[in-house]
């Protein structure tokens, strides 16, 4: 059963195109990731699906309701956590949660089981003003507020941006837990490493879909031989490899380089050409593609996105 | 009603927890009323004068006594030469010099024109003219009293009666004006800021993706400011009655009801501004430029509308504050009832309906 459906959605802001003919569908109970750099159109798509923005062209439904005509039905059934912290800083943790519970015509007590795992972690600070919470705690409070009315669909716009790695990991554990309760989750993130935690992902760049599948299938579909290179002179090596005839693409990846080559280029050929240029300390390993490799491969060649 | 109560309570928390704003909200009306009532006034009380008495007789002493008894003047110095007067002007010790000629007594008794010389400091022309006029009137009165039996000179005497404010207390003029400004400020500016704050902080996004209906959100956010404004109204009226002895000659209930109407007018303007802006700063600037300046300059509070050029007079008709000032002056000072102010009330009601209608049309159920 399809819970979220977007059909050829287009959105423009003046001359800037945010979304072009974007279509996707999310199954009920799925944990679905929108992966893409800043400015890819993730927020626009989420805002169209949460009835906050009108698409210029195309249609979309959430839980079977049209986002334009039945926006009020959708607003009752979804939980939404915007990209930046959007709670009342001068209200305490408990007051924020109570306010949103009442706004949805329910109480904290009635739905305590949904938020218990998350809220328990910040409950010791329930009298503290939300503005005085740490980044990770703010995020948990915002999630509690988005969940307090037991939504069927949850939209999270870059929930882990600006959160420390430990809290990020914890947060994904929480999302898995919510998924087990049958909540359909659409989450956007610029962090490629979080993609593998989703059931299915959509890679988005410049408002266009680059690919949509399970993370494993996307990685498997990577079409080229891929190598990981380490060297103490990484920058020079990058420039050297860019000029080689066997190179399809090469880009920095953390501390190393990822090199995609033409098919059937033997390992010793790469090794020897590096040695001949004095890169004697290289370590060359054949690797499986990561989501980031898939993204770079599918990306428009001219674009230079900011990848985290 | 629970969701509405929920929003009202939240808004009250916001207001009460923002100590600085709270202080402004209640401190400003008190400060403004006291400032306008005591300090910024165009009445003259106890202006310092220097007296050069060349006559040294009972008449010159009697005139000086009357100058002092009027309350307008205080004798700061008695001098013996004109240069001394000039010296006192230079050091800023006096506002006016009075010189009696040596033949003062003779002239007064023979009903001839008297030449008492008043020298005033015209760097402040309004005060100088007022002082000289007061002095001249006092001398004239004295002269007429001296010769009740003599042939009255052929001249037209004017008799003044200042209706509704016989003492010409300027505070009577300022209270309606200050009240109007405060209500405008609290109601329009504070609500437009409170509403745009939700947009700026992103909380409006979260509120919109909820079953709360937008009119309910606005109503809930606005009601606390209605209460605040009405408390301010009582505060201002209390100060003006008990500190400045300003009368409320008409019905207090009517005055209160009209104030409530004006508060709603101002609120609807605030809502309208918030529908057109998305940052608190812009909302504040718009409130100041579009609402405060016209309210202060074109409402007749400081500058009389009758002496404005024709185009400005026409513009003043669309300033809600103008009508409200007319209404409060009528009720407080003239003591008139509903029959005399229904037209102004109708105009204000019409404006309010228009503003609310425009706000509803402009309010976005979405983000852009």
């Amino acid at each position: 059963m399809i819970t979220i459906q977007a059909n050829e959605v287009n959105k423009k802001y003046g001359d800037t195109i945010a979304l072009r003919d974007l279509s996707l569908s999310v199954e009920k109970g799925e944990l679905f990731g929108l992966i893409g750099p800043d400015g890819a159109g993730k927020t626009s798509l989420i805002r169209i699906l949460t009835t906050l923005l009108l698409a210029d062209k195309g249609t979309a439904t959430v839980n079977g309701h049209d986002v334009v005509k039945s926006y009020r039905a959708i607003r009752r059934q979804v939980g939404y956590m915007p990209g930046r912290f959007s709670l009342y800083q001068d209200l305490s943790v408990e007051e924020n949660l109570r306010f949103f519970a009442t706004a949805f015509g329910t109480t904290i007590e009635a739905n305590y089981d949904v938020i218990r795992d998350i809220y328990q972690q910040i409950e010791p600070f329930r009298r503290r003003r939300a503005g005085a919470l740490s980044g990770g705690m703010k995020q948990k409070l915002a999630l509690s507020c988005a969940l307090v009315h037991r939504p069927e669909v949850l939209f999270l716009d870059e929930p882990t941006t600006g959160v420390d790695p430990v809290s990020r990991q914890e947060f994904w554990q929480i999302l898995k837990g919510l998924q087990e309760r049958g909540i359909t989750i659409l989450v956007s993130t610029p962090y490629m490493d979080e993609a593998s935690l989703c059931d299915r992902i959509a890679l988005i760049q410049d408002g266009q879909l680059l690919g949509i599948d399970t993370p494993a299938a996307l990685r498997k579909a990577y079409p080229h031989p891929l190598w990981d290179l380490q060297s103490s002179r990484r920058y020079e090596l990058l420039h050297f490899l860019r000029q080689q005839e066997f190179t399809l693409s090469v880009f920095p990846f953390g501390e190393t380089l990822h090199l995609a080559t033409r098919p059937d280029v033997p390992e010793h050929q790469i090794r020897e050409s590096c040695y001949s240029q004095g890169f004697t300390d290289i370590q060359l390993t054949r690797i499986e593609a990561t989501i980031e490799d898939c993204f770079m491969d599918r990306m428009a060649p001219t674009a230079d996105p900011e990848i985290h | 009603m629970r969701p509405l109560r929920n929003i009202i309570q939240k808004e009250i928390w916001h207001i009460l927890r923002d100590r600085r704003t709270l202080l402004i909200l209640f401190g400003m009306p008190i400060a403004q009323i006291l400032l306008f009532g005591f300090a910024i006034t165009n009445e003259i009380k106890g202006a310092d004068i220097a007296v050069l008495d060349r006559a040294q007789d009972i008449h010159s002493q009697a005139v000086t006594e009357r100058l002092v008894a009027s309350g307008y003047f205080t004798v700061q110095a008695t001098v013996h030469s004109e240069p001394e007067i000039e010296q006192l002007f230079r050091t800023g010790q006096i506002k006016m010099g009075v010189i009696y000629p040596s033949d003062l007594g003779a002239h007064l008794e023979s009903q001839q024109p008297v030449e008492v010389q008043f020298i005033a400091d015209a760097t402040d022309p309004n005060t100088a003219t007022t002082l000289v006029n007061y002095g001249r009137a006092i001398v004239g009165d004295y002269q007429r009293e001296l010769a009740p039996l003599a042939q009255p000179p052929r001249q037209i005497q004017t008799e003044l009666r200042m209706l509704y404010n016989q003492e010409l207390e300027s505070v009577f003029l300022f209270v309606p004006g200050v009240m109007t400004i405060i209500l405008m400020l609290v109601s329009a500016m504070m609500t437009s800021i409170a509403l745009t704050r939700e947009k700026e902080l992103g909380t409006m996004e979260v509120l919109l993706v909820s079953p709360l209906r937008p009119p309910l959100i606005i109503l809930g956010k606005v009601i606390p400011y209605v209460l605040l404004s009405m408390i301010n109204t009582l505060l201002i009226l209390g100060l003006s009655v008990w500190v400045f002895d300003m009368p409320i000659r008409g019905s207090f209930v009517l005055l209160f009801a009209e104030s409530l109407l004006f508060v709603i007018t101002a609120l609807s303007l605030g809502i309208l501004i918030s529908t057109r802006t998305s940052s608190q700063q812009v909302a504040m600037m718009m409130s100041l430029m579009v609402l405060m300046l016209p309210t202060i300059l074109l409402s007749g509070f400081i500058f009389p509308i009758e002496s404005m050029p024709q185009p400005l007079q026409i513009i003043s008709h669309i300033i809600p504050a103008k009508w409200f000032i007319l209404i409060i002056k009528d009720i407080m000072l003239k003591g008139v009832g509903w029959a005399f102010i229904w037209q102004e009330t109708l105009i204000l009601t019409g404006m309010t309906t228009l503003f609310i209608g425009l706000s509803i049309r402009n309010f976005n159920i979405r983000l852009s």
Side-chain angles (χ1 to χ4, degrees), chain B residues 181-195 225 229 262-263 265-274 283-284 287 291-292:
Chain B
I181 288 181
I182 300 278
L183 293 185
M184 199 59 158
L185 199 72
V186 173
S187 313
M189 194 155 105
M190 297 317 274
T191 44
S192 69
I193 290 177
L195 280 166
Y225 288 98
S229 301
F262 183 66
V263 164
T265 314
L267 286 173
S268 58
L269 272 169
I271 296 169
L272 188 59
I273 287 178
S274 74
M284 196 168 88
S287 307
L291 302 181
M292 294 312 294

Side-chain angles (χ1 to χ4, degrees), chain A residues 52 75 80 88 90 95, chain B residues 14 17 198 205 208 365 367:
Chain A
L52 284 170
R75 288 179 182 189
Y80 170 50
Y88 299 103
D90 54 341
E95 285 162 353
Chain B
H14 287 322
R17 284 174 193 183
E198 300 253 4
E205 239 175 291
L208 284 176
I365 54 164
L367 274 184

Side-chain angles (χ1 to χ4, degrees), chain A residues 47 51-54 67-68 71-72 75 80 82 84 86 88 90-91 95 99-100 102-104 129, chain B residues 2 6 10 13-14 17 198 200-203 205-213 365-368:
Chain A
R47 284 184 171 170
T51 75
L52 284 170
L53 273 185
L54 289 177
V67 289
V68 182
Y71 73 96
R72 287 184 47 207
R75 288 179 182 189
Y80 170 50
R84 56 193 174 129
S86 300
Y88 299 103
D90 54 341
L91 260 52
E95 285 162 353
F99 172 75
F100 284 104
T102 314
F104 278 91
R129 302 261 164 103
Chain B
R2 249 191 89 206
N6 191 32
K10 174 186 78 78
W13 276 333
H14 287 322
R17 284 174 193 183
E198 300 253 4
E200 202 176 289
L201 296 181
T203 44
E205 239 175 291
V206 185
L207 289 186
L208 284 176
V209 187
S210 79
L212 292 177
R213 307 284 304 270
I365 54 164
R366 296 191 167 83
L367 274 184
S368 58

